[in-house]
């Protein structure tokens, strides 16, 4: 009996130790706080800015502006500052006045008598509209000289709802309003530029996946730039346009690329790995004004509807990432962290996960004076993973250091990764702790692109710094212009043996740096075999007893979740759908309940019918890029849920 009691004690003690050593998650460092909002106030947030006195100004999609006094207290005080405006999707403060971007104008709001309400609504500049519902206007953002930058969303086609059109000047453009109220077209090629930001005095914007945009991206913007979407080129010939690329040049070059690719495939049939491969960098190689994104955000992983960029200027009050950038996502209700660097005069860098779990779609962010981050949210008309219609929340760091990749930098022969704390040397010098692969997105007139030209790259060796905080990962086969997915699943911290809170970084390699490469003699090349053994075990579990095929390959059997999940991820299906809950679109279980045949589901993947799902605000776009074999397996798996 005593022996049994002793064994039980050891077992329970072991469980306690294991629990204590579990690696902490996002929420263990950054807490989401929901302020008290008075009943009757609906904050479909379109703009946020912190005022000099510490109050928070909020603009809403319903056309209101609120000022919140003592916004971090338990009882913040909300006061309506302005009303009756048209879908305000941005807010800025300058010289005692608030400026907002309405659908069709930049408006100055002035409180002349000091009663906390705007007395004057002054039109700074009004731009044309066609009346299309999708002609959103974003901004304003203050330039260093006090002037303003704004951006104009494209309209959509009448027959193909997702195809961007510029029906009036300014749509599909980033434009500049000077200090004397003049309109200057600045750059074009944008599709849905929901986030426009000034970072250390330089202009950036974010775009959303759609036609000509394979996935969401972060772009630096300079005067005369073209970012890839051709709709705005309709106005490039106007006298005051700084953009020198024309519609004719764009489409002629596209046709030339198609012809060259076809000839190349005819000469070398093995080059058929892509159907009609065309990439944005090919256009840049001919036209200097083409601007590549500094960072491509992996669709469905780091968002589906990219929103605002914000620079961490809190000097450590928000954690260890001062000087880095955060980017929100409306569709997935989350925030990513972005590490930027300049290589050969161009920005590039990595996106890393940061915090998920917000109650609605993340659209705007602003830092409070105490270093916490206010997050403004909405999902009306767009849908989001957080199922609340709107929200204002606050993200607060608890002062504890997370184990994260602090920076990721490109090297002539790979990448240098710096950590927030020293790593365990044994795990960091094991090549099986790492995996690097690369891929690219197509630039073509289809809604989004799956990752294409994917390749796993060989890791030749690693070199860990003496202090254990930096590791050089030497990689064979770096590819310029490609996204490099860097996975560090096996790396552990030195003190607690924690795994990384976010073990993946997606680095957009626009330029490979020059410089000296590490010698083989400097590298550690040890492989523990642990990762390889895990992969082999997984493969064996999915092979039939006779070794001739996967267990689910038998006639009449649908794929398992483990088998279909990579297909759903590869084709970006998981960005909008989950197995058993509504996201942007219906759950797969709800689709199964419709009792479509497998063939019908395949048909609907390629030619969706949004009218079948009237309760979902965001229509599904056609997905012609999904291979037929994948679509067949996905359809079979969906229908297996109904059984």
């Amino acid at each position: 009996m005593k022996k049994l009691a002793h064994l039980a004690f050891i077992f329970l003690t072991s469980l306690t130790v294991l629990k204590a050593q579990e690696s902490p998650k996002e929420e263990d460092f950054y807490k989401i706080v929901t302020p008290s909002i008075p009943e009757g106030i609906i904050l479909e947030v379109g703009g946020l800015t912190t005022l000099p006195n510490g109050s928070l100004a909020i603009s809403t999609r319903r056309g209101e502006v609120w000022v919140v006094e003592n916004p971090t207290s338990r009882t913040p005080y909300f006061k309506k500052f302005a009303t009756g405006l048209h879908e305000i999707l941005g807010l800025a403060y300058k010289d005692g006045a608030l400026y907002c971007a309405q659908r069709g104008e930049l408006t100055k709001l002035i409180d002349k008598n000091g009663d906390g309400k705007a007395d004057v609504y002054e039109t700074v500049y009004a731009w044309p509209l066609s009346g299309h519902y999708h002609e959103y206007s974003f901004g304003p953002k203050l330039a260093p000289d006090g002037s303003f930058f704004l951006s104009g969303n494209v309209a959509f086609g009448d027959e193909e709802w997702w195809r961007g059109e510029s029906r009036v000047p300014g749509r599909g453009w980033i434009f500049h309003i000077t200090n004397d109220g003049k309109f200057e077209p600045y750059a074009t090629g944008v599709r849905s530029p929901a986030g426009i930001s000034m970072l250390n005095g330089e202009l950036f914007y974010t775009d959303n996946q759609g036609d000509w945009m394979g996935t969401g991206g972060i772009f630096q913007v300079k005067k005369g730039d073209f970012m890839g979407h051709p709709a705005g080129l309709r106005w490039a010939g106007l006298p005051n346009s700084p953009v020198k690329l024309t519609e004719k040049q764009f489409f002629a070059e596209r046709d030339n690329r198609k012809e060259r690719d076809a000839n190349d495939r005819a000469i070398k049939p093995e080059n058929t790995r892509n159907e009609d491969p065309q990439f944005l960098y090919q256009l840049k190689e001919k036209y200097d004004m083409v601007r590549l994104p500094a960072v491509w955000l992996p669709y469905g992983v780091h968002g589906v509807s990219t929103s605002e960029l914000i620079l961490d200027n809190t000097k450590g009050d928000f954690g260890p990432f001062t000087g880095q950038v955060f980017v929100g996502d409306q569709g997935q209700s989350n925030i990513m962290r972005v590490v930027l660097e300049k290589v050969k005069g161009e920005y590039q860098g990595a996106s890393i996960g940061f915090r998920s779990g917000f109650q609605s779609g993340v659209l705007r962010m602003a830092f409070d004076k105490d270093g916490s981050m206010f997050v403004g949210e909405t999902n009306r008309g767009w849908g989001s993973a957080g199922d609340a219609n709107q929200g204002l929340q606050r993200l607060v760091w608890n002062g504890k250091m997370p184990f994260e990749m602090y920076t990721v930098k490109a090297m002539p022969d790979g990448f240098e990764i710096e950590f927030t704390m020293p790593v365990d040397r044994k795990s960091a010098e094991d090549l099986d702790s790492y995996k690097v692969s690369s891929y690219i997105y197509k630039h073509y007139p289809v809604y989004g692109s799956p990752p294409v030209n994917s390749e796993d790259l060989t890791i030749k060796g690693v070199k860990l710094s003496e202090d254990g905080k930096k590791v050089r990962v030497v990689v064979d086969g770096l590819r310029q212009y490609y996204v490099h997915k860097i996975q560090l699943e096996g790396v552990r911290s030195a003190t607690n043996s924690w795994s990384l809170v976010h073990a993946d970084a997606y680095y957009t390699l626009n330029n490979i740096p020059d410089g000296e490469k590490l010698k083989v003699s400097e590298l550690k090349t040890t492989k523990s075999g642990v990762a390889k053994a895990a992969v082999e075990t997984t493969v064996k579990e999915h092979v039939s007893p006779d070794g001739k095929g996967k267990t689910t390959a038998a006639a009449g059997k649908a794929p398992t979740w483990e088998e279909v999940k990579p297909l759903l991820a590869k084709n970006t299906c998981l960005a909008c759908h989950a197995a058993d809950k509504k996201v942007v679109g219906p759950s797969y279980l709800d689709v199964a309940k419709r009792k479509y045949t497998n063939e019908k589901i395949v048909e609907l993947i390629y030619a969706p019918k949004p009218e079948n799902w009237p309760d979902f605000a965001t229509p599904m776009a056609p997905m012609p890029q999904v291979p037929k074999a994948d679509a067949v397996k996905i359809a079979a798996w969906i229908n297996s849920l109904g059984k």
Side-chain angles (χ1 to χ4, degrees):
M1 198 68 183
K2 286 183 179 179
K3 187 175 182 180
L4 284 173
H6 181 63
L7 287 172
F9 174 78
I10 292 173
F11 176 72
L12 290 171
T13 303
S14 299
L15 284 179
T16 303
V17 171
L18 284 171
K19 187 172 182 181
Q21 291 180 345
E22 282 180 5
S23 296
K25 309 299 182 187
E26 302 172 337
E27 56 271 24
D28 295 314
F29 303 99
Y30 289 90
K31 181 181 180 182
I32 297 175
V33 177
T34 303
S36 174
I37 299 172
E39 188 175 351
I41 297 178
I42 299 175
L43 294 179
E44 293 181 338
V45 178
L48 284 180
T49 189
T50 303
L51 302 179
N53 66 359
S55 295
L56 180 69
I58 306 170
S59 68
T60 78
R61 296 175 63 199
R62 294 179 174 235
E64 299 172 336
V65 177
W66 293 84
V67 173
V68 186
E69 298 174 3
N70 302 314
T72 61
S73 70
R74 292 186 177 182
T75 55
Y77 179 69
F78 285 72
K79 186 168 186 176
K80 188 181 290 186
F81 183 77
T83 190
L85 300 162
H86 189 181
E87 193 159 28
I88 315 168
L89 291 174
L91 197 61
Y93 176 86
K94 175 187 170 184
D95 298 335
L98 286 170
Y99 292 77
C100 66
Q102 295 193 70
R103 176 65 66 100
E105 71 170 51
L106 175 62
T107 308
K108 182 179 182 180
L109 304 172
I110 309 167
D111 175 14
K112 295 191 76 173
N113 61 10
D115 66 352
K117 296 180 181 179
D119 309 297
V120 177
Y121 296 53
E122 177 185 324
T123 299
V124 179
Y125 188 87
W127 45 82
L129 296 171
S130 75
H132 190 276
Y133 83 95
H134 206 256
E135 289 181 340
Y136 306 110
S137 298
F138 304 102
K141 290 297 177 182
L142 280 169
D145 67 354
S147 59
F148 297 99
F149 282 101
L150 300 100
S151 59
N153 216 103
V154 295
F156 283 159
D158 292 326
E159 294 183 2
E160 295 174 306
W161 67 264
W162 45 270
R163 194 177 294 280
E165 297 179 356
S166 182
R167 300 182 179 183
V168 292
R171 298 293 108 191
W173 282 76
I174 290 172
F175 47 92
H176 181 220
I177 306 297
T178 65
N179 281 313
D180 55 357
K182 292 180 181 177
F183 176 95
E184 292 181 347
Y186 195 79
T188 191
V190 309
R191 178 186 173 272
S192 191
I196 183 167
S197 302
M198 297 298 300
L199 304 179
N200 294 320
E202 296 182 287
L203 182 63
F204 285 78
Y205 97 100
T206 63
D207 218 323
N208 280 255
Q209 185 200 48
D211 59 319
W212 301 106
M213 287 286 170
T215 186
I218 299 169
F219 296 74
Q220 187 191 14
V221 185
K222 293 185 178 180
K223 194 170 187 177
D225 279 351
F226 172 74
M227 271 67 74
H229 196 288
L233 290 176
R234 178 180 180 185
W235 314 106
L238 293 179
N240 59 347
S241 168
V243 177
K244 302 309 176 187
L245 182 68
T246 66
E247 279 187 293
K248 184 177 180 180
Q249 288 173 317
F250 176 88
F251 287 106
E253 178 59 23
R254 177 174 178 265
D255 292 340
N256 290 340
R257 280 188 281 159
K258 288 176 69 175
E259 184 177 348
R260 287 196 301 270
D261 292 333
N263 291 337
D264 188 36
R265 290 196 297 271
I267 296 168
K268 296 181 179 180
E270 64 269 23
N271 288 342
T272 57
R273 59 182 175 178
N274 278 309
E275 180 185 349
D276 185 22
Q278 297 177 59
F279 308 112
L280 188 58
Y281 74 81
Q282 293 172 314
L283 191 64
K284 180 177 178 57
E285 287 172 347
K286 184 161 185 180
Y287 298 108
D288 265 354
M289 74 285 292
V290 174
R291 174 70 60 182
L292 299 177
V295 174
W296 283 122
L297 298 165
Y299 192 78
V301 181
H302 289 172
V304 295
S305 299
T306 315
S307 57
E308 187 168 46
L309 293 167
I310 184 172
L311 180 72
D312 184 349
N313 57 4
T314 65
K315 299 180 180 178
D317 288 340
F318 191 64
F321 307 116
T322 295
Q324 297 186 13
V325 176
F326 296 98
V327 59
D329 188 82
Q330 193 275 327
Q332 288 196 325
S333 305
N334 59 358
I335 296 173
M336 280 62 64
R337 180 166 57 91
V338 176
V339 182
L340 293 171
E341 62 172 335
K342 259 189 179 178
V343 177
K344 298 181 180 178
E346 289 186 277
Y347 279 105
Q348 59 187 46
S351 66
I352 303 168
F354 183 65
R355 189 62 164 94
S356 58
F358 294 94
Q359 70 181 31
S360 189
V362 175
L363 190 65
R364 299 290 178 249
M365 298 171 286
F367 281 111
D368 186 76
K369 286 189 170 184
D370 70 359
S372 61
M373 178 194 287
F374 280 104
V375 181
E377 304 160 30
T378 179
N379 81 353
R380 176 171 55 90
W382 296 329
S384 65
D387 55 11
N389 291 328
Q390 46 83 36
L392 176 69
Q393 295 185 290
R394 193 160 62 97
L395 194 58
V396 182
W397 180 48
N398 63 9
K400 297 178 181 178
M401 182 64 70
F403 180 41
E404 294 272 28
M405 286 180 265
Y406 175 60
T407 61
V408 181
K409 295 181 179 179
M411 292 289 151
D413 52 3
F415 299 94
E416 180 185 80
I417 301 162
E418 183 176 357
F419 301 92
T420 55
M421 58 180 66
V423 297
D424 167 65
R425 187 165 292 273
K426 183 178 180 180
S427 67
E429 291 182 344
D430 179 2
L431 298 198
D432 283 333
S433 292
Y434 306 85
K435 182 178 179 182
V436 179
S437 56
S438 62
Y439 63 87
I440 198 168
Y441 294 102
K442 288 185 179 183
H443 177 236
Y444 66 154
V446 174
Y447 194 97
S449 166
V452 298
N453 287 6
S454 300
E455 288 184 6
D456 289 335
L457 306 183
T458 300
I459 298 173
K460 297 173 69 175
V462 297
K463 181 179 180 180
L464 187 63
S465 63
E466 287 297 321
D467 63 2
K469 293 190 72 173
K470 289 183 181 179
V471 64
R472 282 279 295 271
V473 182
V474 177
V475 179
D476 192 23
L478 293 178
R479 295 194 283 179
Q480 186 180 7
Y481 305 121
Y482 279 62
V483 178
H484 288 67
K485 181 181 180 182
I486 305 164
Q487 299 171 266
L488 280 66
E489 290 289 349
V491 175
R492 297 291 181 265
S493 63
T495 52
N496 302 302
S497 196
W498 287 346
S499 57
L500 288 154
V501 178
H502 299 96
D504 299 342
Y506 292 78
Y507 191 102
T508 302
L509 191 65
N510 289 328
N511 289 295
I512 299 173
D514 297 326
E516 191 174 342
K517 298 181 180 181
L518 291 180
K519 298 174 183 176
V520 175
S521 59
E522 299 179 73
L523 304 177
K524 296 291 185 180
T525 58
T526 304
K527 289 187 176 183
S528 67
V530 174
K532 184 178 179 182
V535 171
E536 288 176 348
T537 301
T538 302
V539 171
K540 287 177 182 177
E541 287 173 353
H542 290 89
V543 174
S544 58
D546 61 7
K548 294 181 179 179
K550 292 182 179 180
T551 54
T552 57
K557 285 194 175 182
T560 64
W561 167 248
E562 289 76 14
E563 291 169 322
V564 83
K565 184 180 179 182
L567 304 183
L568 296 171
K570 178 183 76 172
N571 294 298
T572 69
C573 308
L574 296 177
C576 296
H577 303 277
D580 56 358
K581 74 169 187 173
K582 163 188 164 183
V583 187
V584 177
S587 70
Y588 289 121
L589 184 58
D590 285 338
V591 176
K593 290 176 182 177
R594 294 289 179 97
K595 299 190 182 300
Y596 296 128
T597 63
N598 289 5
E599 293 75 17
K600 184 63 175 178
I601 291 177
V602 171
E603 179 186 321
L604 290 170
I605 289 172
Y606 297 127
K609 293 187 176 179
E611 63 269 22
N612 292 348
W613 302 90
D615 295 335
F616 290 85
T618 304
M620 177 177 167
M623 303 290 282
Q625 70 271 25
V626 178
K628 183 67 176 290
D630 290 2
V632 169
K633 292 176 183 176
I634 290 168
W637 173 76
I638 289 173
N639 274 335
S640 73
L641 300 178
K643 300 174 184 178

